């Protein structure tokens, strides 16, 4: 966050309380996944490993910021009746850029993420922020809003991915930590302290993502009771 | 024909779009509070998937493919064209339904615009490309995938209607519970992986 503040100052734009709120609100009080319930679609399937989750998070941050800035800078020229299509085309173009970049520089991740890169287009976070924020605000604030929401999404993604990868496979970012073979950092079959440890294979399967997010939501709402669903 | 039934069964039950790929989760969670609205959205999804899938197949093969009209590989335009097709088809379907069947329009009406950003629609088209289906297979995949999504949303809506009467911890009420239920349903659907589609 400190980096952002420096960059903004160079452009001669203020970074005060209001701007900070734009950045920090989506991290907790207004988190896109746990509170706004946006962008779950493309998120859960990529959380089996932290590396994929990180790539996905960076891609979404990128698309969020630039879609917000572009839409915000042409917001006065977009006719209201076709705004959805205009927004979708902007997002689709940015996602195509992301796809081609990944294909060129991170082919391994590109193959593993497969269709889920394309699904950033219909990631409701991007679309939702365009509708709710960028259509009514200046490009600078929109960029901050995009950054904040992208990071808020990325954090949840990384938490879920950490739980699933560590407890499911005993790895973090592909580095072998806990396991029963000698190439793991802590060999559970020999070490007497960790001998009881068994990886939980359920974590690798898809329903576990749902459970992990449900627990995150539960904890988040127990911590901040004002978010509790009244209905 | 057997091959098509095979794809239908597979896409509806074994590789359920909502429960094993998490597609369309946003509207799945938002519109599953009552069975009635869930049925409306589910039907609209089947409808739009069955229409957009063949159109996107034609675009992908005849327009963007190497042996298409332009004789060049234009697949990098895939995302833009697919989403444009989906957005315009949804608009078109909305207009046609409004004109010829006002009663259906009234029940589907508000859900149709939502479908444009339903990942299940775009995801279906992208899966169709990555699985290299031919034309009739993509139609079967569209209908099957839509049917599976319909089943999932109606089932969760029914469960959520009942769970209202249970004493759920306050912090878990609503969204958190919906996630847990979806996870459990996902596990139940994993039991269907044992089905051999070739038996049909």
């Amino acid at each position: 966050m400190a980096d952002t503040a420096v960059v903004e100052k160079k452009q001669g734009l203020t970074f005060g309380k209001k701007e900070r709120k734009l950045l920090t609100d989506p991290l907790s009080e207004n988190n896109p996944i746990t509170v706004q319930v946006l962008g779950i679609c493309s998120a859960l399937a990529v959380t089996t490993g932290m590396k994929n989750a990180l790539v996905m998070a960076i891609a979404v941050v990128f698309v969020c910021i630039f879609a917000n800035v572009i839409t915000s800078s042409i917001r006065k020229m977009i006719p209201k009746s076709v705004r959805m299509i205009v927004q979708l085309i902007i997002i689709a173009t940015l996602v195509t850029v992301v796809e081609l970049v990944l294909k060129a520089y991170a082919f391994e991740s590109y193959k593993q993420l497969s269709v889920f890169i394309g699904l950033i287009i219909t990631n409701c976070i991007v679309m939702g922020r365009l509708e709710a924020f960028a259509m009514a605000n200046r490009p600078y604030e929109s960029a901050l809003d995009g950054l904040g929401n992208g990071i808020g999404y990325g954090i949840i993604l990384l938490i879920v991915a950490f739980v699933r990868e560590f407890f499911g496979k005993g790895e973090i970012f592909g580095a072998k930590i806990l396991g029963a073979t000698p190439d793991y950092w802590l060999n559970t079959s020999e070490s007497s302290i960790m001998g009881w440890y068994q990886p939980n294979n359920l974590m690798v399967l898809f329903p576990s993502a749902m459970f992990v997010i449900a627990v995150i939501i539960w904890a988040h709402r127990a911590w901040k009771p004002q978010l509790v669903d009244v209905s | 024909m057997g091959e098509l039934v095979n794809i239908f069964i597979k896409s509806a039950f074994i590789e359920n779009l909502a429960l094993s790929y998490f597609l369309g989760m946003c509207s799945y969670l938002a519109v599953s509070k009552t069975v009635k609205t869930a049925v409306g959205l589910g039907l609209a999804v089947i409808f739009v998937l069955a229409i957009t899938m063949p159109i996107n197949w034609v675009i992908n093969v005849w327009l963007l493919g190497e042996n298409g009209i332009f004789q060049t590989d234009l697949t990098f335009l895939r995302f833009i064209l697919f989403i444009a097709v989906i957005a315009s088809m949804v608009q078109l379907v909305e207009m046609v339904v409004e004109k010829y069947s006002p009663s259906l329009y009234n029940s589907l009406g508000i859900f149709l615009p939502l479908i444009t950003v339903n990942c299940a629609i775009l995801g279906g088209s992208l899966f169709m490309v990555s699985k290299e289906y031919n034309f009739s297979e993509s139609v079967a995949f569209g209908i099957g995938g839509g049917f599976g999504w319909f089943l999932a949303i109606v089932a969760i809506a029914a469960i959520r209607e009942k769970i209202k009467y249970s004493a759920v911890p306050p912090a878990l009420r609503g969204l958190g519970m919906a996630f847990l239920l979806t996870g459990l349903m996902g596990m139940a659907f994993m039991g269907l992986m044992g089905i051999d589609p070739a038996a049909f």
Side-chain angles (χ1 to χ4, degrees):
Chain A
M1 222 151 285
D3 293 343
T4 333
V6 175
V7 173
E8 306 307 348
K9 259 179 203 155
K10 270 185 209 151
Q11 293 170 349
L13 289 159
T14 52
F15 187 79
K17 220 172 188 176
K18 198 172 137 260
E19 283 77 13
R20 174 167 318 196
K21 204 165 149 47
L22 284 177
L23 266 181
T24 52
D25 241 19
L27 300 186
S28 164
E29 257 106 288
N30 205 9
N31 189 286
I33 291 189
T34 60
V35 182
Q36 303 176 49
V37 213
L38 298 175
I40 300 148
C41 331
S42 61
L44 300 184
V46 302
T47 51
T48 44
M50 287 194 80
K51 200 164 151 252
N52 286 347
L54 189 65
V55 171
M56 189 71 182
I58 293 172
V60 170
V61 170
F62 169 82
V63 175
C64 247
I65 295 176
F66 282 91
N68 260 358
V69 169
I70 295 172
T71 315
S72 166
S73 42
I74 59 169
R75 69 182 186 278
K76 293 195 180 108
M77 288 179 256
I78 305 176
K80 213 166 168 53
S81 52
V82 294
R83 68 182 195 287
M84 296 272 266
I85 300 201
V86 174
Q87 291 165 355
L88 279 173
I89 297 293
I90 292 172
I91 301 171
T93 314
L94 288 166
V95 173
T96 310
V97 172
V98 168
E99 191 209 15
L100 292 176
V101 168
L102 282 182
K103 207 171 176 177
Y105 294 105
F107 193 64
E108 201 54 37
S109 297
Y110 169 78
K111 269 196 303 192
Q112 280 168 9
L113 292 172
S114 67
V115 300
F116 292 99
I117 303 167
L119 288 176
I120 299 176
I121 299 172
T122 49
N123 190 321
C124 332
I125 295 179
V126 186
M127 196 76 186
R129 290 328 290 175
L130 291 186
E131 267 293 293
F133 198 88
M135 287 299 283
N137 286 287
R138 288 192 303 154
Y140 168 59
E141 277 92 12
S142 303
L144 289 180
D145 184 72
L147 181 67
N149 277 286
I151 293 176
Y153 166 88
I155 286 177
I156 301 288
L157 215 59
L158 283 173
I159 295 175
V160 178
F162 171 76
V163 174
R164 291 185 69 186
E165 192 182 12
F166 184 69
F167 292 102
K169 290 186 270 186
E171 298 173 1
I172 294 175
F173 281 108
K176 296 173 187 298
I177 307 287
L178 273 172
T181 48
D183 53 340
Y184 283 91
W185 178 71
L186 200 61
N187 187 348
T188 51
S189 65
E190 283 173 11
S191 146
S192 53
I193 318 165
M194 292 301 289
W196 50 270
Y197 179 80
Q198 284 286 332
N200 183 352
N201 285 328
L202 176 70
M203 284 297 171
V204 185
L205 300 172
F206 50 84
S208 69
M210 285 289 170
F211 298 140
V212 176
I213 291 203
V215 171
I216 293 175
I217 291 175
W218 190 358
H220 191 205
R221 291 190 178 182
W223 175 42
K224 290 199 185 301
Q226 74 269 26
L227 298 175
V228 169
D229 214 333
V230 278
S231 63
Chain B
M1 192 62 203
E3 184 63 21
L4 298 184
V5 177
N6 183 341
I7 288 178
F8 178 87
I9 301 277
K10 207 167 149 194
S11 55
F13 298 106
I14 305 169
E15 290 172 356
N16 189 297
L17 283 179
L19 296 175
S20 53
Y21 292 113
F22 308 117
L23 296 182
M25 270 298 142
C26 310
S27 30
Y28 172 90
L29 291 168
V31 192
S32 61
K33 282 187 182 136
T34 57
V35 173
K36 202 166 161 259
T37 52
V39 170
L41 183 68
L43 288 178
V45 166
I46 299 183
F47 201 49
V48 175
L49 259 180
I51 294 177
T52 54
M53 202 79 95
I55 297 178
N56 279 342
W57 185 88
V58 168
I59 284 185
N60 190 46
V61 174
W62 289 358
L63 209 60
L64 302 179
E66 268 177 48
N67 302 316
I69 304 172
F70 300 112
Q71 295 291 318
T72 31
D73 186 15
L74 292 172
T75 43
F76 64 90
L77 289 174
R78 190 185 287 149
F79 292 156
I80 298 180
L81 279 179
F82 277 13
I83 199 70
V85 164
I86 291 170
S88 44
M89 279 323 291
V90 169
Q91 198 83 51
L92 204 67
V93 166
E94 197 180 351
M95 277 162 17
V96 170
V97 172
E98 191 179 10
K99 183 144 175 40
Y100 292 103
S101 171
S103 61
L104 182 65
Y105 178 77
N106 285 335
S107 53
L108 288 185
I110 40 165
F111 301 119
L112 279 169
L114 259 182
I115 288 181
T116 313
V117 285
N118 187 328
C119 341
I121 312 287
L122 183 66
S125 289
L126 294 175
F127 271 119
M128 169 196 81
V129 172
S130 72
K131 289 180 179 172
E132 295 174 349
Y133 284 144
N134 65 27
F135 185 77
S136 46
E137 282 170 346
S138 65
V139 176
F141 180 66
I143 299 173
F147 181 70
W149 202 87
F150 171 83
L151 269 187
I153 193 171
V154 173
I156 188 129
I159 300 175
R160 281 180 82 175
E161 275 192 0
K162 297 279 177 263
I163 213 106
K164 257 189 276 178
Y165 305 107
S166 311
V168 178
L172 203 54
R173 224 168 268 162
L175 190 60
M177 206 59 208
F179 272 101
L180 277 185
L181 291 173
T182 311
L184 290 173
M185 277 169 65
M187 285 175 80
F189 263 70
M190 275 168 67
L192 297 172
M193 273 180 183
I195 294 182
D196 179 12
F200 288 91

